[in-house]
Amino acid sequence: QVQLVESGGGFAQPGGSLNVSCKTSGFNLDYYSLGWFRQAPGVGREGVAYISSGGDITHYAGSVKGRFTVSRDNFKNTAYLQMNSLKLEDTATYLCAAGFVRNTAWAQEDEYDLWGQGTQVTVSS
């Protein structure tokens, strides 16, 4: 059974940090690119970060560049999103996704075939 399960969300204060994980199973992660998206109430889903199957190419949305870092450990079938210097506007549900993604279209939802359910991140003072 194909699964992507996010964890590690929670509450943080502005300026704080959180590290969310995406544990995958049921497919060979080695061949898949991974993306992180987020969705806030009343807002469309936004591509946040991307990492290629080999881990050698990463992309970030401008709103998180320099603050967030995406990584992966194929031996553990897990991807990570380290979020530092969190802002109030980072509050959202964070979802991971996997697919055979065109590098130039990494932020497009329809590039991804497999999705997790998401983990809530709330930044509040």
Side-chain angles (χ1 to χ4, degrees):
Q1 182 181 3
V2 171
Q3 284 191 311
L4 293 83
V5 180
E6 300 91 340
S7 62
F11 290 88
Q13 292 186 335
S17 298
L18 284 172
N19 189 358
V20 294
S21 302
C22 173
K23 175 70 174 176
T24 71
S25 59
F27 65 101
N28 190 341
L29 183 62
D30 292 3
Y31 300 116
Y32 285 75
S33 299
L34 289 166
W36 284 97
F37 289 76
R38 66 185 180 186
Q39 186 155 24
V43 180
R45 194 170 288 181
E46 175 191 17
V48 173
Y50 161 89
I51 186 165
S52 61
S53 57
D56 55 332
I57 300 172
T58 57
H59 295 298
Y60 298 92
S63 57
V64 307
K65 199 167 187 178
R67 301 188 297 120
F68 289 12
T69 303
V70 61
S71 62
R72 63 191 291 161
D73 185 338
N74 287 354
F75 290 105
K76 295 182 178 179
N77 295 315
T78 303
Y80 306 94
L81 185 67
Q82 175 67 41
M83 303 184 290
N84 297 328
S85 301
L86 284 163
K87 302 177 179 181
L88 296 175
E89 53 264 39
D90 293 322
T91 295
T93 298
Y94 283 73
L95 307 97
C96 63
F100 301 108
V101 178
R102 292 175 296 161
N103 191 29
T104 55
W106 69 271
Q108 296 180 15
E109 294 179 56
D110 58 7
E111 290 284 316
Y112 299 83
D113 303 304
L114 309 174
W115 289 83
Q117 294 298 308
T119 184
Q120 178 66 35
V121 170
T122 302
V123 184
S124 174
S125 56

